Amino acid sequence: MEKDVFCKIIDGEIPCYKLYEDADVLAFLDISQVTKGHALVIPKKHYDNFLSIPQEEMHKVMDVAQRIGQVAIKLLGARGVNILTNCYEAAGQTVKHFHVHVIPRYEGNEGFILEMKNNSEGLNLPAIAKEIKKEL
Ligand code: AMP
Protein backbone atom coordinates (compact mmCIF):
# COMPACT_ATOMS: atom_id res chain seq x y z
CA MET A 1 0.00 0.00 0.00
CA GLU A 2 1.31 3.47 -0.89
CA LYS A 3 2.31 5.67 2.04
CA ASP A 4 0.07 8.66 2.69
CA VAL A 5 1.57 12.14 2.66
CA PHE A 6 1.64 12.43 6.47
CA CYS A 7 3.50 9.11 6.85
CA LYS A 8 6.02 10.55 4.37
CA ILE A 9 6.37 13.69 6.51
CA ILE A 10 6.92 11.55 9.62
CA ASP A 11 9.58 9.54 7.78
CA GLY A 12 11.33 12.73 6.64
CA GLU A 13 10.61 12.11 2.95
CA ILE A 14 8.61 15.34 2.62
CA PRO A 15 9.50 18.57 4.46
CA CYS A 16 7.17 20.43 6.79
CA TYR A 17 7.12 23.51 8.99
CA LYS A 18 7.41 21.61 12.26
CA LEU A 19 5.80 23.08 15.38
CA TYR A 20 6.12 20.25 17.88
CA GLU A 21 7.37 16.68 18.05
CA ASP A 22 7.59 13.95 20.66
CA ALA A 23 7.72 10.15 20.53
CA ASP A 24 4.06 9.83 19.53
CA VAL A 25 2.87 13.12 18.06
CA LEU A 26 3.92 15.57 15.33
CA ALA A 27 2.46 19.03 14.69
CA PHE A 28 3.20 21.22 11.67
CA LEU A 29 1.72 24.04 9.61
CA ASP A 30 -0.93 23.09 7.07
CA ILE A 31 0.50 23.77 3.60
CA SER A 32 -2.74 25.59 2.71
CA GLN A 33 -3.14 28.15 5.47
CA VAL A 34 -6.85 28.86 5.64
CA THR A 35 -5.93 31.34 8.36
CA LYS A 36 -2.56 32.43 9.79
CA GLY A 37 -1.13 29.63 11.94
CA HIS A 38 -3.45 26.85 10.65
CA ALA A 39 -1.81 23.73 12.13
CA LEU A 40 -2.19 19.98 11.83
CA VAL A 41 -1.57 17.55 14.68
CA ILE A 42 -1.05 13.87 13.86
CA PRO A 43 -0.09 10.62 15.57
CA LYS A 44 3.21 9.20 14.33
CA LYS A 45 1.66 5.77 14.12
CA HIS A 46 -0.76 5.44 11.23
CA TYR A 47 -4.50 5.40 11.92
CA ASP A 48 -7.02 6.24 9.22
CA ASN A 49 -9.00 8.75 11.25
CA PHE A 50 -10.35 9.86 14.64
CA LEU A 51 -12.78 6.95 14.73
CA SER A 52 -10.09 4.29 14.48
CA ILE A 53 -7.32 5.61 16.75
CA PRO A 54 -7.06 4.04 20.24
CA GLN A 55 -8.18 6.36 23.03
CA GLU A 56 -4.80 6.80 24.72
CA GLU A 57 -3.09 7.92 21.52
CA MET A 58 -6.03 10.11 20.56
CA HIS A 59 -5.68 11.89 23.90
CA LYS A 60 -2.00 12.64 23.21
CA VAL A 61 -2.90 14.21 19.86
CA MET A 62 -5.70 16.26 21.42
CA ASP A 63 -3.39 17.49 24.23
CA VAL A 64 -1.06 18.97 21.62
CA ALA A 65 -3.98 20.43 19.63
CA GLN A 66 -5.19 22.14 22.81
CA ARG A 67 -1.76 23.63 23.50
CA ILE A 68 -1.43 24.98 19.95
CA GLY A 69 -4.91 26.50 20.25
CA GLN A 70 -3.88 28.20 23.49
CA VAL A 71 -0.72 29.55 21.85
CA ALA A 72 -2.74 30.88 18.89
CA ILE A 73 -4.81 32.96 21.29
CA LYS A 74 -1.86 34.04 23.41
CA LEU A 75 0.80 34.76 20.80
CA LEU A 76 -0.81 35.05 17.36
CA GLY A 77 -3.59 37.37 18.44
CA ALA A 78 -6.35 34.96 17.40
CA ARG A 79 -9.78 35.77 18.83
CA GLY A 80 -10.95 32.17 18.59
CA VAL A 81 -9.90 28.72 17.38
CA ASN A 82 -11.70 25.93 15.51
CA ILE A 83 -10.55 22.41 16.37
CA LEU A 84 -11.67 20.16 13.57
CA THR A 85 -11.15 16.61 12.36
CA ASN A 86 -12.73 15.10 9.25
CA CYS A 87 -13.54 11.39 9.16
CA TYR A 88 -13.96 9.73 5.76
CA GLU A 89 -14.40 11.35 2.35
CA ALA A 90 -18.07 12.10 2.96
CA ALA A 91 -16.98 14.48 5.73
CA GLY A 92 -14.23 16.10 3.65
CA GLN A 93 -11.25 13.94 4.68
CA THR A 94 -8.66 14.03 1.90
CA VAL A 95 -5.61 12.60 3.73
CA LYS A 96 -6.35 9.19 5.21
CA HIS A 97 -4.12 9.59 8.27
CA PHE A 98 -5.77 10.89 11.44
CA HIS A 99 -5.18 14.61 11.82
CA VAL A 100 -6.62 17.44 13.85
CA HIS A 101 -6.87 20.90 12.28
CA VAL A 102 -6.19 23.80 14.64
CA ILE A 103 -7.55 26.86 12.86
CA PRO A 104 -6.97 30.22 14.55
CA ARG A 105 -9.76 32.74 13.90
CA TYR A 106 -9.28 36.47 13.51
CA GLU A 107 -11.45 39.39 12.66
CA GLY A 108 -12.23 40.07 9.03
CA ASN A 109 -11.84 38.12 5.82
CA GLU A 110 -10.68 34.58 6.35
CA GLY A 111 -10.31 31.46 4.25
CA PHE A 112 -12.44 29.36 6.56
CA ILE A 113 -16.20 29.51 6.75
CA LEU A 114 -18.12 27.23 9.08
CA GLU A 115 -21.86 27.24 8.74
CA MET A 116 -24.21 24.95 10.63
CA LYS A 117 -27.76 25.36 9.42
CA ASN A 118 -30.70 24.05 11.38
CA ASN A 119 -31.92 21.10 9.32
CA SER A 120 -34.00 19.33 11.94
CA GLU A 121 -37.43 19.77 10.39
CA GLY A 122 -39.21 16.42 10.15
CA LEU A 123 -36.65 14.57 12.25
CA ASN A 124 -37.78 12.43 15.18
CA LEU A 125 -35.30 13.48 17.85
CA PRO A 126 -36.43 11.02 20.58
CA ALA A 127 -36.09 8.12 18.09
CA ILE A 128 -32.65 9.30 16.93
CA ALA A 129 -31.44 9.69 20.51
CA LYS A 130 -32.76 6.21 21.38
CA GLU A 131 -30.92 4.68 18.40
CA ILE A 132 -27.58 6.29 19.24
CA LYS A 133 -27.83 5.60 22.99
CA LYS A 134 -28.16 1.84 22.36
CA GLU A 135 -24.45 1.53 21.58
CA LEU A 136 -23.00 4.00 24.11
P1 AMP B 1 -8.47 16.98 5.31
O1 AMP B 1 -9.26 17.56 4.18
O2 AMP B 1 -9.13 17.15 6.65
O3 AMP B 1 -8.06 15.55 5.04
O4 AMP B 1 -7.16 17.86 5.40
C1 AMP B 1 -5.93 17.51 4.85
C2 AMP B 1 -5.04 18.72 4.98
O5 AMP B 1 -3.71 18.33 4.73
C3 AMP B 1 -5.37 19.86 4.01
O6 AMP B 1 -5.74 21.03 4.74
C4 AMP B 1 -4.07 20.04 3.23
O7 AMP B 1 -3.78 21.38 2.95
C5 AMP B 1 -3.05 19.44 4.17
N1 AMP B 1 -1.84 18.95 3.51
C6 AMP B 1 -1.76 18.12 2.45
N2 AMP B 1 -0.47 17.88 2.12
C7 AMP B 1 0.28 18.59 3.01
C8 AMP B 1 1.69 18.76 3.21
N3 AMP B 1 2.60 18.18 2.43
N4 AMP B 1 2.09 19.56 4.24
C9 AMP B 1 1.19 20.16 5.03
N5 AMP B 1 -0.15 20.04 4.90
C10 AMP B 1 -0.60 19.26 3.90
Side-chain angles (χ1 to χ4, degrees):
M1 205 174 71
E2 227 228 299
K3 263 192 213 175
D4 65 75
V5 64
F6 294 166
C7 280
K8 287 182 182 170
I9 287 175
I10 290 159
D11 291 346
E13 294 167 20
I14 292 180
C16 71
Y17 294 100
K18 196 182 291 182
L19 302 174
Y20 174 86
E21 181 173 20
D22 63 29
D24 306 301
V25 179
L26 180 69
F28 52 92
L29 289 181
D30 194 303
I31 201 75
S32 327
Q33 295 277 286
V34 301
T35 67
K36 185 181 77 177
H38 176 188
L40 297 172
V41 189
I42 65 174
K44 285 189 171 174
K45 197 168 162 194
H46 179 95
Y47 297 102
D48 281 354
N49 61 41
F50 174 76
L51 301 179
S52 57
I53 185 170
Q55 198 177 52
E56 196 182 328
E57 283 168 86
M58 181 267 287
H59 287 168
K60 289 177 183 172
V61 171
M62 296 311 288
D63 282 349
V64 176
Q66 185 190 46
R67 293 219 298 277
I68 293 173
Q70 289 164 343
V71 168
I73 298 281
K74 193 173 169 189
L75 297 182
L76 292 184
R79 302 285 303 272
V81 182
N82 288 100
I83 307 293
L84 178 78
T85 184
N86 300 322
C87 302
Y88 299 116
E89 266 177 50
Q93 184 177 9
T94 59
V95 178
K96 290 182 188 64
H97 182 123
F98 173 48
H99 54 282
V100 176
H101 293 263
V102 181
I103 303 175
R105 303 298 300 276
Y106 307 89
E107 304 280 0
N109 242 353
E110 297 185 303
F112 179 70
I113 298 162
L114 180 67
E115 191 178 17
M116 293 198 222
K117 288 187 187 160
N118 183 356
N119 197 29
S120 55
E121 205 181 302
L123 293 180
N124 183 342
L125 270 61
I128 296 165
K130 194 175 164 199
E131 191 66 23
I132 295 170
K133 270 170 23 186
K134 272 199 285 201
E135 283 290 322
L136 296 180

